[in-house]
Amino acid sequence: MKSWQLPEHVADVLPTNARQLESARERLLALFRVHGYELVQPPLMEYSHSLLTHIDAGLSLKTILVVDQLSGRQLGIRADITPQVARIDAHLLSANQGINRLCYAGSVLHARPDGLLNMREPLQAGAEMYGLEGIEADIELIDLMLKSMKIADMGEVLLSLGHIGVFRALANAAHLDEQQSAILLSSMQDKDAEAVSQLVKEWKLDGMWAKAFSLLPRLYGGREVLTLAREKLPELSAVSAALDELQAVCDAFPNQKVHIDLSELRVDNYHTGLLYAAYGSNRHDAVARGGRYDGLGGYFGRARPAAGFSFDLRSFIGRLPAIGRESVVAVDVKDMPAAQEAVDALREQGQCVVIDYGIGYNGSEEVTGGLKQVDGVWKVIALND
């Protein structure tokens, strides 16, 4: 094997794309900041227990584990920043009993890629809100998620909505045990309506619940799905509350293209309610995903209402505006001792100044001027002068 090869689904980001990503990251954090979201920077690795690998099987499979040579305890390289932000809200920011709006942008590492076209080192960016239980929090975050998509050319954005509360309300009413719920949920996630129907038949569920579960994979489409769900699903208060929340989101974005899918339950184990995702045109997978995860901070000592979204900023590559390199001024290496003060002054002003050693260098074709001494004064002379 060649020594310079990288692991599968891991890649370098070269200057052109790196400039695009950093510019997008700056714009994104500026967007979060003007909406009141404060930046946090959790560590790349923690004790694995703190990363919630013990409560989320999917997250555990993504997390790379190593042994800490200082303590002998098991460390995890983060695969998701959300649990870390929940820890910060519950522990380090516990003095604030009101709302905490927090945001982040940093690398995570996955033991396996999420898909054939996905990278194992996403640049995860997102925003989270803690302390507000109402649907207003979800609406604020969805609005921010949609605004985030405008940083890249995603074309027409589709807002996809679901609600894990519908499935869980039916599972509780039908008295499914934990194992049955997990099996049925997996079939729902696979969109396998036939498997769902077969399972409820094998378990000999009451006809009302069997019919409801079999119907869920077919309840998808536009805003009209909510009317159909109210007509066809059992009258449970928890189901009605979930549908009311979905309706509130639809009402908040009257001009937004919306897709509702009551079997779209691709969630981490910590999600508890409303689910949302944003799809760009000509994209096979969601660009951003989010939802409600009330109580996640309870694992760190403070259970609070919580909601948020995140996405891989690297998925924006190819859809970001080109960021040209700034103008470059060159100074001959022989002139540097005498020109040092002038070079320092230009760099303090934000001007890129490179030392020309006479053998070429990256970006040499972008040099627009040279630093020359004219009548005892160092001046930038345009190359075409």
Side-chain angles (χ1 to χ4, degrees), residues 140-203:
E140 178 179 320
L141 285 157
I142 291 171
D143 178 63
L144 189 57
M145 179 180 72
L146 295 174
K147 288 175 178 175
S148 299
M149 297 300 98
K150 294 180 181 179
I151 290 176
D153 180 15
M154 291 294 173
E156 184 180 22
V157 174
L158 172 67
L159 173 62
S160 178
L161 300 174
H163 204 299
I164 189 66
V166 174
F167 173 82
R168 289 181 176 163
L170 294 174
N172 289 335
H175 303 294
L176 297 186
D177 60 35
E178 187 174 335
Q179 183 179 12
Q180 288 175 317
S181 293
I183 294 172
L184 194 57
L185 181 61
S186 178
S187 296
M188 292 283 185
Q189 291 173 337
D190 293 336
K191 299 292 185 186
D192 194 340
E194 184 176 343
V196 170
S197 297
Q198 185 62 33
L199 284 170
V200 297
K201 183 178 179 180
E202 290 177 4
W203 295 338

Side-chain angles (χ1 to χ4, degrees), residues 117-132:
L117 301 179
N118 295 94
M119 304 303 295
R120 292 170 59 192
E121 189 187 3
L123 178 53
Q124 185 180 349
E128 321 278 349
M129 183 190 294
Y130 297 86
L132 183 59

Side-chain angles (χ1 to χ4, degrees), residues 334-345:
K334 299 189 299 295
D335 292 335
M336 267 303 293
Q340 186 65 63
E341 185 175 340
V343 169
D344 292 343

Side-chain angles (χ1 to χ4, degrees), residues 342-378:
V343 169
D344 292 343
L346 286 171
R347 287 173 173 167
E348 287 178 2
Q349 296 168 16
Q351 174 65 59
C352 176
V353 181
V354 299
I355 301 173
D356 185 357
Y357 295 99
I359 57 174
Y361 44 89
N362 61 313
S364 58
E365 70 280 359
E366 297 176 1
V367 172
T368 58
L371 189 61
K372 304 292 183 181
Q373 193 173 42
V374 179
D375 297 329
V377 179
W378 289 100

Side-chain angles (χ1 to χ4, degrees), residues 19 112 148 167 278 320 343 384:
R19 285 199 296 270
R112 293 177 178 272
S148 299
F167 173 82
L320 292 169
V343 169
N384 55 4

Side-chain angles (χ1 to χ4, degrees), residues 206-224:
D206 180 88
M208 179 172 61
W209 310 122
K211 181 180 179 180
F213 284 123
S214 298
L215 180 64
L216 275 187
R218 298 177 176 87
L219 284 175
Y220 62 89
R223 299 167 188 252
E224 71 280 357

